[in-house]
């Protein structure tokens, strides 16, 4: 069992901001797991844990990691939309 660091309202807000409000249960569980792992590593905000003595280099690395995470949210949203469209097509009556 994964310990959830965020409360459900915080998670809902993050998901809404990224267009992921209507994920299926499996995808939602995976997204919650990702969010909690990122939070444990303090990659969702500026942190002394991430930033060390080489501040500029570490800040750039943290910024790049956040950009990749945001890009992944876009891909999750797109994949979810594709899956929903495929399900609709499969449910449509065949001619």
């Amino acid at each position: 069992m994964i310990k959830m660091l965020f409360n459900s309202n915080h998670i809902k807000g993050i998901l809404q901001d990224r267009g992921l409000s209507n994920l299926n249960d499996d995808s939602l569980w995976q997204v919650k797991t990702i969010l909690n792992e990122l939070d444990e590593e303090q990659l969702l905000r500026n942190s002394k844990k991430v930033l060390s003595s080489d501040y500029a280099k570490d800040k750039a690395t943290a910024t790049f990691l956040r950009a990749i995470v945001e890009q992944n949210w876009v891909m999750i949203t797109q994949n979810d939309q594709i899956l929903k469209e495929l399900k609709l097509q499969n449910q449509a009556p065949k001619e």
Side-chain angles (χ1 to χ4, degrees):
M1 177 92 180
I2 294 185
K3 179 184 174 200
M4 293 297 171
L5 300 174
F6 292 117
N7 66 39
S8 62
N9 288 334
H10 190 136
I11 291 173
K12 285 179 186 176
I14 291 171
L15 296 177
Q16 285 176 346
D17 287 347
R18 286 153 181 85
L20 298 169
S21 299
N22 298 317
L23 291 176
N24 66 48
D25 289 341
D26 289 335
S27 296
L28 181 60
W29 183 85
Q30 291 170 338
V31 167
K32 286 180 180 181
T33 302
I34 292 166
L35 286 171
N36 283 295
E37 288 176 7
L38 292 172
D39 191 59
E40 284 177 8
E41 295 302 320
Q42 298 180 7
L43 292 173
L44 296 174
R45 58 186 166 273
N46 289 331
S47 165
K48 290 181 182 178
K49 182 177 179 181
V50 175
L51 305 175
S52 66
S53 60
D54 191 358
Y55 181 80
K57 181 180 175 186
D58 289 343
K59 184 175 181 187
T61 299
T63 300
F64 290 140
L65 288 171
R66 285 189 196 108
I68 290 169
V69 167
E70 292 299 326
Q71 181 184 38
N72 287 341
W73 295 131
V74 171
M75 292 180 356
I76 290 168
T77 302
Q78 291 171 340
N79 287 338
D80 188 60
Q81 290 171 346
I82 290 167
L83 288 171
K84 287 175 181 171
E85 285 294 321
L86 288 172
K87 285 180 183 178
L88 285 174
Q89 287 179 8
N90 285 336
Q91 292 173 355
K94 307 280 181 187
E95 291 182 25

